């Protein structure tokens, strides 16, 4: 499905940008990277498109879309958990320690997401892209 292919590329690219460029003090970016509603919607859309990408592959079953699907699911989890972590008011627990370790690597994960999106756009029929 070409629509799902395009949605996966756009979600991975936007999620990579949000994870890489988004910070607490960054107000001069062209996308609303500090808007929680935008980040939550992008996280949900990234995770859903990643799961759908696993279910319907282009040519090669599962392997052909494994990297973009996995990166979409990971991006969705990180974005959703980042919003969840901002909104919790209880004491930190096990889930918060996991979130801190995930969010500590958001800039490298953002760069990887951008690279996967560009490579998947340039080479749509590659075996692992």
């Amino acid at each position: 499905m070409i629509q799902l292919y395009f949605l996966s590329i756009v979600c991975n690219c936007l999620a990579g940008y949000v994870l890489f460029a988004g910070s607490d003090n960054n107000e001069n970016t062209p996308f609303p990277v500090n808007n929680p509603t935008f980040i939550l919607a992008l996280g949900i859309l990234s995770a859903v498109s990643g799961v759908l990408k696993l279910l319907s592959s282009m040519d090669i079953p599962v392997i052909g879309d494994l990297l973009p699907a996995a990166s979409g699911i990971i991006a969705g989890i990180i974005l959703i958990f980042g919003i969840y972590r901002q909104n919790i008011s209880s004491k930190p627990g096990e889930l918060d320690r996991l979130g801190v370790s995930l969010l500590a690597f958001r800039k490298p994960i953002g760069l990887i997401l951008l690279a996967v999106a560009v490579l998947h756009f340039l080479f749509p029929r590659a075996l692992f892209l």
Side-chain angles (χ1 to χ4, degrees):
M1 239 172 133
I2 297 296
Q3 296 89 351
L4 192 57
Y5 168 74
F6 181 71
L7 181 66
S8 173
I9 290 172
V10 169
C11 285
N12 282 341
C13 192
L14 284 176
Y17 177 77
V18 166
L19 286 174
F20 183 72
S23 68
D24 296 334
N25 300 329
N26 196 358
E27 297 291 332
N28 297 324
T29 56
F31 291 111
V33 295
N34 291 329
N35 186 351
T37 306
F38 175 76
I39 293 173
L40 182 64
L42 181 63
I44 292 170
L45 196 59
S46 293
V48 168
S49 70
V51 169
L52 289 177
K53 194 90 167 135
L54 276 178
L55 296 177
S56 73
S57 61
M58 295 273 295
D59 285 334
I60 303 168
V62 179
I63 296 175
D65 296 328
L66 183 63
L67 199 56
S71 64
I73 293 169
I74 290 169
I77 289 171
I78 291 173
L79 289 174
I80 292 169
F81 190 77
I83 294 298
Y84 168 75
R85 190 169 171 268
Q86 286 178 356
N87 292 332
I88 61 171
S89 61
S90 63
K91 63 179 183 171
E94 292 293 325
L95 192 59
D96 193 44
R97 283 187 230 147
L98 175 67
V100 168
S101 63
L102 276 177
L103 293 175
F105 296 108
R106 68 167 196 204
K107 288 196 183 280
I109 291 173
L111 284 176
I112 290 170
L113 285 170
L114 286 170
V116 166
V118 168
L119 288 174
H120 192 52
F121 179 73
L122 294 176
F123 306 109
R125 299 191 190 271
L127 185 60
F128 286 106
L129 295 175

